[in-house]
Amino acid sequence: MAAHSGRNWAGLMFLCLLFVSVAASSNVEDQVGGFFKSGHTNNWAVLVCTSRFWFNYRHIANTLSVYRSVKRLGIPDSQIILMLADDMACNPRNPRPATVFNNANQHINVYGDNVEVDYRGYEVTVENFIRVLTGRLPPSTPRSKRLLTDDRSNVLVYMTGHGGEGFLKFQDAEEISNVELADAFQQMWQKNRYHEILFMIDTCQAVSMYHKFYSPNVIGIGSAQVGEDSLSHHVDPSIGVYIIDRYTYYLLEFLETVTPDSKKTLADLFRVCPKRVCVSTPGVRTDLFTRDPNTVLITDFFGSVRNVEITTETITLKRNVTAQSCSGSSCPGSRRGKRRKKLAYANQFPVEAAYEEEVTKPQWHFPMYFVAALSVFCITVVSAFRI
Amino acid sequence: MGLLSDPKSRERFSRIAAKYNSPLCVLAYVVGVVWFLALAYKPFNHRTYFSENALLPGLVEGKFRTENVATRISQAMKDIKDVNKDGPMPVAWIVNQFRGLGLDTYTQEYIQTIPVPSARQSEEQGKEMFVQLNGTNVYAILRAPRTASTEAIVLSAPYKHYLNMDHNNHAFGLMIALASHFRKSSYWSKDIIFLLVDYDEIGMEAWLQEYHYTKSPLLKSSPLHGRSGSIQAAINLELHSDQVSHFNVKLEGLNGLLPNLDLVNLVVQLCGRERITVKLHQQRDPFPSEGWPAFQQNLKTMSLMMLHQATGMPNGLHGLFLRYHIEAVTLEGVLEPGRSSTGFYRMGRVLEGVFRSLNNLLERFHQSFFFYLLPASDRYVSIGMYMPPFGLILLVTALKAIALYISIGTPDPDPWDGAENVVIEHIQSRKTGDGQGDNTDSKRGVTKIRTQNYSDGDVWSLVPVVSCCQVAGFIASISPMVMTGLGHLFGTRPYQALITGATGMFFASLFMPKCITRNRLACTVNTLRLWKCAALVLQAIILAATAAANFSLGMLLAVTMVPVCAMVRPGKLRFLQAVLMLLVSPLGLLIIYTGLYLLLTETEYHGVVPSAMHLCTIVYYNILSGVIHGYVLGTWQYTLLALAVFPNWLFFWCIVFKKRDVPVVENKEEKKTS
């Protein structure tokens, strides 16, 4: 909190003025303040399934299950970037079309209503993933595909797929290394794109993926140690595939008990899936994280509990005088006679913008080398005539 | 510095190769053979495993319940057959069965011309003098409901087993039952083609050719009106009864092609899941899987597989798919009396599981081995394991050739040691001691030698002998058809004429050495060394190339031909050498290996004469089918034997019988006199 107080930050912030009685003011402040000590104001989730093909059904189910949980706990679709490398619901091999289940009992269809997949199929690439994290997306990218975080955002990054020591395979073509991932987080930090990150990965040798992290306020959770395989939980014989991975299965079992107002902490999350049920050994890395995991609520990452900042000072809001009184040449901004540009909605289609740009551009444009070549030519011609 | 480019080490190497040649050769051969046989022993081979992730074998629960349909249909088909025995395939009835299930059903008619003059038709029709077979294939396509028809899998069955004229109605019943079950499911990602084939292999070939738009001049067929996508895999079904005690899994395809090991594993695993015994070549996996009896059993299975593969003839309809890179196996349901048996229900579940797994495939089979030998259904010997011993056996040829090449130009008769020395001296002593007797002969030899450079082998002397052998081979390759044509004119029965053509050239060429000798091609020791060296090099190339295409054929040829061919030399013990050479001639090998096959498969022994007769009959049919399959299906085994192996063998045959002209006499005589 202190670290950020001096910063000039923008973004979503709900300011609430509390009127408290004079007698009990300091005591209640402490009590109320205890709930809101996290320092974040908004929650985001990046959920990535990196593997395609029917036999990797479980990875899609993993991701969709986490998606379902974070959505249930309150993160809206607009703040979830869901990347699915394949479409299991529409796979012709699926005996239950348009569904994805995460349990052989088939109680919960995790592909139920209102699943907003932001990046699908071949869009799920290392490049896109890094671009989403670091915010370096082409201008044409719609808002729903952007991670519009700020320095008060808590980000949950969940990844699953096939990995090895120090890498995670994307599709069948490429892989992201742990160094690349660590650098991406550092860039996010430098660009004030997060407040805290919970990085969770369910893959073979998962912990190797967070070993190289060096940015502050990042927690890493991996489903398996280096040298261990992360295993699947069970087969659904009616669908004929392994339906979910062990770590995610127990994670979900835990998350189902969490409600938006629950007081479960990260320490409870770390105890999910012990080796006796997981077979692999989940790992945790908290050394980059400044707070005590015992006091950090699960909902700081998995939910979207709006934060309240308390102030005892009275803030007098000024009337925004400039908008009304200023007009024409009397405005301080248009002292040089510049006309104010008319406000309009941003263009939905980048093509149009590009077209307009093209129209406004000068029609004739000589590149430098052409001008240079022309002048050399002219000089040669002139000198030739002289001789 | 490489071994052969550094002059010093080369010299050392060549000295060692020359000095310890015979022991090295014996060592390489013995180690190679023992190593290869040991591969059938369990600790030396590996357990099969799935390379292809996508198959997900047996994860899905079987839902096949329509076994009563199978019983009903197979009974109905049997009734039709009983009424009209040996009649044509009841096409309309079969089409109705498929249409009744709502499948896209089509028929394909074809006429296959077998380039053998038919005895009956020729007198009536002037043009149509060849045997013609016409038949009709019926196929039905179950369209995958949620994909475009870009991929397909095939379930095929022959209408009859033409070899034993056994009807395959049970397989058709099961096929219809599966079709009716598959029809209800929505999870197919590939079309399923149900194909009932008339006239075994020819019908299958006609269908496949038409499906892939390839044409053969001898096979005319009507176009396919219904198509699907590229075929990923095929299962061919042969059931001898409605109850089976085991599935005999047949793998060997055209020209020794094998299906991808993953498909074989899949079938074996799913049979195991339904507790149906799997056999390879009717050989059960040994139960205590280690120990001497188990090794014998494994070796037997592996040898049978090799013998089958070496013929290059498919032992089931699946074999023809392999040419189009479609992985396929045949499941032959056999009822062995006295064994517990299972009915359509379990068979259907096995096939359902196989098809569900194939349905999961994302790419063509490519992960697992294409070159392997199976000593048991769950053990494999991969190409990486069987090639080194084969290489060792070929090393014998190479070592011999190197030693001979080094010895060319040296008066030192070392590599032709032992008996050779005796021969040389014998000739000399005859010449020097006898004086007058052989005078004319030797004088002529001497004068001739003087005209040529005898210190090196005469390379040009290779040309006539090699070309003669090749011409003989070429004649052998075309003679069956020529002879049937000629025999037709003289009224011989076509198959006899064909056999005469195939073997006649072989017998005729046995007299070739005589002709060559009469042609007075001068031969010094060095020339003969060069001849043998060239023959050995040729042999190594031929065997290595053969093994790359059809390992079993290459191995079986190498194991017998290499030692004999490495030993033969002109001169002494000519009769023994001739006998050995005849044994390893293409015909001799055919007889030997057919005998071995019968020994391994037949349980009863009837006595020498009946067995020999039986053997002759089988050899006769093998030659016949080898030649005819070459024309009809495109197997190249006969052509390979005629064009490559036979000329090479003939070359050695000539060397055995080559009368050596007087060797480097002058030097010796000078030495003696001085």
Side-chain angles (χ1 to χ4, degrees):
Chain A
M1 184 70 211
H4 297 291
S5 60
R7 293 194 181 178
N8 187 9
W9 46 267
L12 280 175
M13 161 99 187
F14 288 83
L15 197 75
C16 184
L17 296 176
L18 288 179
F19 298 97
V20 289
S21 64
V22 179
S25 68
S26 63
N27 192 14
V28 171
E29 242 174 66
D30 285 350
Q31 273 188 348
V32 176
F35 291 112
F36 307 121
K37 60 194 171 192
S38 133
H40 74 285
T41 58
N42 55 81
N43 279 86
W44 288 77
V46 181
L47 312 175
V48 190
C49 160
T50 63
S51 38
R52 58 191 301 116
F53 305 135
W54 175 241
F55 56 89
N56 290 322
Y57 184 99
R58 61 184 187 277
H59 293 150
I60 304 279
N62 286 347
T63 316
L64 283 170
S65 309
V66 176
Y67 171 79
R68 179 181 173 279
S69 295
V70 296
K71 218 170 147 184
R72 186 176 60 79
L73 290 171
I75 305 184
D77 258 332
S78 58
Q79 295 183 16
I80 301 174
I81 306 292
L82 180 60
M83 302 177 112
L84 294 182
D86 205 344
D87 187 358
M88 287 309 154
C90 295
N91 193 306
R93 294 166 185 83
N94 194 341
R96 305 280 310 268
T99 58
V100 176
F101 292 101
N102 64 357
N103 195 310
N105 298 326
Q106 305 197 346
H107 286 157
I108 305 166
N109 172 17
V110 288
Y111 206 73
D113 336 311
N114 227 353
V115 172
E116 186 187 306
V117 184
D118 299 300
Y119 289 82
R120 43 165 271 166
Y122 289 114
E123 289 176 342
V124 182
T125 58
V126 174
E127 181 183 341
N128 276 349
F129 175 63
I130 301 252
R131 281 184 184 281
V132 164
L133 287 186
T134 55
R136 291 197 177 90
L137 286 157
S140 58
T141 314
R143 283 179 68 85
S144 65
K145 290 179 140 191
R146 289 169 182 271
L147 186 69
L148 297 167
T149 53
D150 54 44
D151 63 346
R152 286 306 183 99
S153 303
N154 271 12
V155 186
L156 167 71
V157 180
Y158 174 87
M159 303 185 85
T160 184
H162 288 286
E165 190 176 348
F167 70 89
L168 176 69
K169 190 173 70 124
F170 267 66
Q171 312 268 359
D172 254 12
E174 52 181 354
E175 55 206 27
I176 187 171
S177 73
N178 49 4
V179 179
E180 286 167 325
L181 191 63
D183 289 345
F185 284 163
Q186 178 63 20
Q187 286 184 48
M188 286 177 79
W189 176 251
Q190 287 175 355
K191 294 177 81 181
N192 286 342
R193 282 177 66 79
Y194 73 83
H195 175 244
E196 284 165 346
I197 286 181
L198 175 64
F199 174 75
M200 184 179 266
I201 181 160
D202 187 350
T203 178
C204 297
Q205 323 208 20
V207 301
S208 65
M209 283 306 282
Y210 61 62
H211 276 163
K212 302 279 184 195
F213 288 176
Y214 54 96
S215 317
N217 295 345
V218 179
I219 307 177
I221 302 178
S223 63
Q225 298 294 330
V226 173
E228 277 183 343
D229 284 346
S230 185
L231 301 172
S232 60
H233 189 260
H234 65 277
V235 173
D236 184 341
S238 70
I239 301 179
V241 285
Y242 293 100
I243 205 149
I244 195 164
D245 279 326
R246 277 175 184 270
Y247 184 79
T248 308
Y249 179 83
Y250 289 104
L251 171 72
L252 292 176
E253 206 175 65
F254 170 73
L255 287 180
E256 287 297 306
T257 65
V258 176
T259 52
D261 57 347
S262 83
K263 292 284 170 287
K264 292 215 161 93
T265 62
L266 281 188
D268 297 321
L269 178 68
F270 295 162
R271 281 193 287 275
V272 157
C273 201
K275 187 173 168 55
R276 105 191 112 77
V277 291
C278 222
V279 183
S280 59
T281 323
V284 178
R285 181 173 177 195
T286 53
D287 59 324
L288 297 167
F289 196 64
T290 45
R291 292 196 286 157
D292 177 15
N294 282 307
T295 62
V296 179
L297 296 179
I298 285 290
T299 49
D300 281 1
F301 292 99
F302 282 89
S304 186
V305 179
R306 293 283 187 257
N307 230 330
V308 179
E309 193 151 308
I310 308 146
T311 173
T312 51
E313 295 163 25
T314 313
I315 296 173
T316 48
L317 298 172
K318 286 177 189 166
R319 275 178 74 88
N320 190 358
V321 283
T322 50
Q324 286 181 350
S325 61
C326 162
S327 68
S329 56
S330 65
C331 284
S334 57
R335 213 170 271 165
R336 285 161 207 161
K338 235 190 202 174
R339 271 197 67 196
R340 259 185 65 206
K341 210 182 171 189
K342 204 179 168 188
L343 290 173
Y345 286 109
N347 259 323
Q348 292 297 306
F349 299 104
V351 187
E352 234 168 80
Y355 175 72
E356 272 174 21
E357 213 170 89
E358 208 170 87
V359 169
T360 52
K361 260 187 200 168
Q363 289 293 312
W364 299 100
H365 177 70
F366 297 104
M368 271 310 290
Y369 59 84
F370 177 71
V371 176
L374 192 66
S375 49
V376 168
F377 175 75
C378 289
I379 291 165
T380 337
V381 169
V382 169
S383 55
F385 269 113
R386 276 194 176 175
I387 293 160
Chain B
M1 265 297 192
L3 183 68
L4 293 177
S5 49
D6 178 15
K8 250 189 181 172
S9 67
R10 183 169 59 185
E11 197 179 309
R12 194 167 58 231
F13 171 75
S14 55
R15 210 170 46 238
I16 291 171
K19 192 173 178 188
Y20 301 107
N21 191 261
S22 299
L24 276 178
C25 286
V26 171
L27 188 72
Y29 182 76
V30 171
V31 170
V33 171
V34 171
W35 183 356
F36 184 76
L37 293 180
L39 287 178
Y41 188 48
K42 195 183 171 192
F44 296 112
N45 50 41
H46 295 297
R47 197 181 164 74
T48 53
Y49 61 95
F50 284 97
S51 291
E52 177 62 86
N53 258 331
L55 282 172
L56 304 171
L59 287 195
V60 80
E61 64 179 353
K63 294 215 170 80
F64 177 76
R65 290 275 183 286
T66 47
E67 67 273 13
N68 52 342
V69 175
T71 319
R72 182 164 53 79
I73 298 288
S74 68
Q75 188 57 44
M77 199 175 195
K78 189 166 179 293
D79 294 343
I80 292 173
K81 280 168 179 169
D82 287 345
V83 172
N84 186 9
K85 215 165 194 178
D86 292 340
M89 192 160 93
V91 175
W93 182 79
I94 291 166
V95 168
N96 277 339
Q97 298 306 314
F98 281 124
R99 290 246 165 92
L101 296 171
L103 304 177
D104 297 355
T105 311
Y106 307 94
T107 57
Q108 182 214 13
E109 282 153 19
Y110 61 86
I111 300 171
Q112 165 78 52
T113 311
I114 294 177
V116 171
S118 75
R120 279 169 293 173
Q121 289 179 3
S122 58
E123 287 151 21
E124 298 147 26
Q125 302 156 321
K127 279 185 180 177
E128 303 286 322
M129 57 179 260
F130 292 136
V131 176
Q132 290 199 325
L133 294 172
N134 44 3
T136 309
N137 296 327
V138 182
Y139 65 103
I141 303 175
L142 167 59
R143 302 282 176 191
R146 282 148 64 199
T147 43
S149 295
T150 51
E151 291 179 340
I153 29 186
V154 173
L155 177 62
S156 68
Y159 169 66
K160 269 185 188 178
H161 307 294
Y162 274 87
L163 204 62
N164 47 11
M165 296 305 274
D166 186 11
H167 286 288
N168 200 16
N169 55 330
H170 306 291
F172 180 69
L174 187 54
M175 185 192 269
I176 291 285
L178 283 167
S180 71
H181 171 64
F182 290 169
R183 180 89 181 86
K184 293 176 207 143
S185 313
S186 67
Y187 43 66
W188 297 111
S189 70
K190 298 168 175 54
D191 288 0
I192 301 173
I193 303 176
F194 300 94
L195 171 63
L196 195 69
V197 172
D198 207 357
Y199 278 107
D200 284 6
E201 285 144 1
I202 295 168
M204 184 54 98
E205 180 64 16
W207 191 81
L208 281 169
Q209 278 194 6
E210 201 55 46
Y211 197 90
H212 295 99
Y213 299 105
T214 49
K215 296 279 179 222
S216 148
L218 297 175
L219 187 56
K220 302 264 182 296
S221 56
S222 62
L224 300 182
H225 293 295
R227 282 175 184 283
S228 178
S230 92
I231 301 171
Q232 306 290 306
I235 304 289
N236 181 45
L237 202 57
E238 293 173 7
L239 297 181
H240 294 297
S241 64
D242 56 348
Q243 295 280 321
V244 302
S245 60
H246 66 264
F247 271 135
N248 185 35
V249 180
K250 297 186 193 172
L251 315 171
E252 296 79 13
L254 207 64
N255 294 328
L257 294 171
L258 293 171
N260 194 283
L261 193 54
D262 266 336
L263 181 63
V264 182
N265 288 348
L266 178 70
V267 169
V268 170
Q269 166 125 358
L270 286 165
C271 285
R273 199 167 281 263
E274 294 298 329
R275 293 192 294 286
I276 297 184
T277 317
V278 174
K279 290 187 178 181
L280 296 173
H281 299 287
Q282 311 287 7
Q283 301 302 311
R284 184 179 277 272
D285 290 350
F287 172 49
S289 57
E290 290 204 52
W292 179 247
F295 170 66
Q296 280 177 312
Q297 182 62 36
N298 284 344
L299 189 61
K300 188 175 171 188
T301 312
M302 196 166 94
S303 322
L304 282 173
M305 179 173 179
M306 287 181 69
L307 289 168
H308 259 294
Q309 199 191 359
T311 61
M313 280 177 252
N315 58 353
L317 289 192
H318 69 279
L320 297 164
F321 283 99
L322 297 174
R323 171 156 51 185
Y324 297 91
H325 205 329
I326 300 165
E327 307 312 315
V329 293
T330 291
L331 287 180
E332 184 190 19
V334 184
L335 179 62
E336 211 174 312
R339 297 265 180 197
S340 65
S341 61
T342 49
F344 283 130
Y345 174 62
R346 281 193 188 285
M347 289 190 260
R349 278 171 70 93
V350 167
L351 285 165
E352 187 199 6
V354 170
F355 273 80
R356 287 298 295 271
S357 280
L358 293 176
N359 184 47
N360 285 340
L361 273 183
L362 297 153
E363 310 165 79
R364 280 181 178 282
F365 280 104
H366 64 283
Q367 301 265 15
S368 196
F369 296 99
F370 286 97
F371 299 93
Y372 54 85
L373 296 172
L374 298 182
S377 65
D378 59 344
R379 314 286 305 177
Y380 75 97
V381 178
S382 74
I383 183 167
M385 292 153 73
Y386 64 56
M387 269 303 177
F390 178 73
L392 270 183
I393 294 173
L394 277 199
L395 188 66
V396 175
T397 313
L399 277 176
K400 256 298 184 268
I402 289 171
L404 283 172
Y405 188 75
I406 291 166
S407 72
I408 291 171
T410 56
D412 174 28
D414 206 28
W416 298 81
D417 53 344
E420 255 342 283
N421 284 339
V422 175
V423 174
I424 293 167
E425 278 155 22
H426 176 68
I427 292 170
Q428 285 166 4
S429 63
R430 196 174 61 177
K431 190 190 172 310
T432 47
D434 215 19
Q436 304 300 317
D438 284 11
N439 214 358
T440 47
D441 234 287
S442 56
K443 273 248 172 89
R444 198 183 292 159
V446 170
T447 46
K448 199 181 289 166
I449 287 164
R450 273 181 185 154
T451 58
Q452 57 177 289
N453 180 12
Y454 46 78
S455 62
D456 280 333
D458 184 9
V459 177
W460 292 108
S461 68
L462 281 171
V463 176
V465 67
V466 171
S467 46
C468 279
C469 292
Q470 288 299 333
V471 166
F474 177 70
I475 294 171
S477 76
I478 59 163
S479 64
M481 285 306 119
V482 173
M483 282 307 282
T484 40
L486 285 175
H488 182 62
L489 296 178
F490 295 108
T492 331
R493 281 161 70 188
Y495 289 119
Q496 285 181 349
L498 196 148
I499 291 290
T500 317
T503 54
M505 192 57 213
F506 170 72
F507 289 118
S509 60
L510 295 184
F511 297 99
M512 211 175 94
K514 269 268 189 272
C515 311
I516 289 183
T517 316
R518 281 195 186 151
N519 282 346
R520 295 166 182 258
L521 289 162
C523 274
T524 62
V525 175
N526 286 330
T527 309
L528 278 178
R529 281 172 181 160
L530 185 71
W531 279 25
K532 199 185 161 188
C533 181
L536 285 169
V537 169
L538 259 177
Q539 185 181 48
I541 291 170
I542 289 166
L543 289 179
T546 309
N550 183 345
F551 172 75
S552 298
L553 182 62
M555 186 69 186
L556 293 182
L557 288 176
V559 111
T560 42
M561 285 184 84
V562 162
V564 175
C565 291
M567 278 191 293
V568 293
R569 54 172 57 109
K572 215 188 169 190
L573 293 174
R574 200 167 276 173
F575 179 71
L576 180 65
Q577 288 192 32
V579 169
L580 280 176
M581 280 305 286
L582 279 178
L583 278 179
V584 300
S585 66
L587 188 63
L589 285 180
L590 182 65
I591 294 169
I592 289 175
Y593 285 126
T594 311
L596 178 64
Y597 181 75
L598 292 179
L599 194 72
L600 288 174
T601 50
E602 311 264 308
T603 44
E604 294 165 48
Y605 176 68
H606 303 288
V608 179
V609 178
S611 297
M613 289 299 288
H614 185 50
L615 178 64
C616 285
T617 328
I618 300 283
V619 168
Y620 173 82
Y621 279 113
N622 278 348
I623 298 172
L624 205 61
S625 62
V627 175
I628 290 181
H629 275 100
Y631 282 91
V632 175
L633 301 177
T635 59
W636 44 251
Q637 261 64 17
Y638 178 75
T639 317
L640 175 90
L641 287 178
L643 283 182
V645 180
F646 172 60
N648 185 244
W649 175 84
L650 203 55
F651 199 174
F652 282 106
W653 180 256
C654 292
I655 291 171
V656 171
F657 284 96
K658 186 64 203 164
K659 279 221 178 82
R660 192 187 306 126
D661 294 310
V662 182
V664 197
V665 187
E666 286 172 310
N667 298 349
K668 297 248 168 182
E669 281 187 340
E670 277 168 25
K671 268 181 200 168
K672 271 188 181 174
T673 48
S674 59

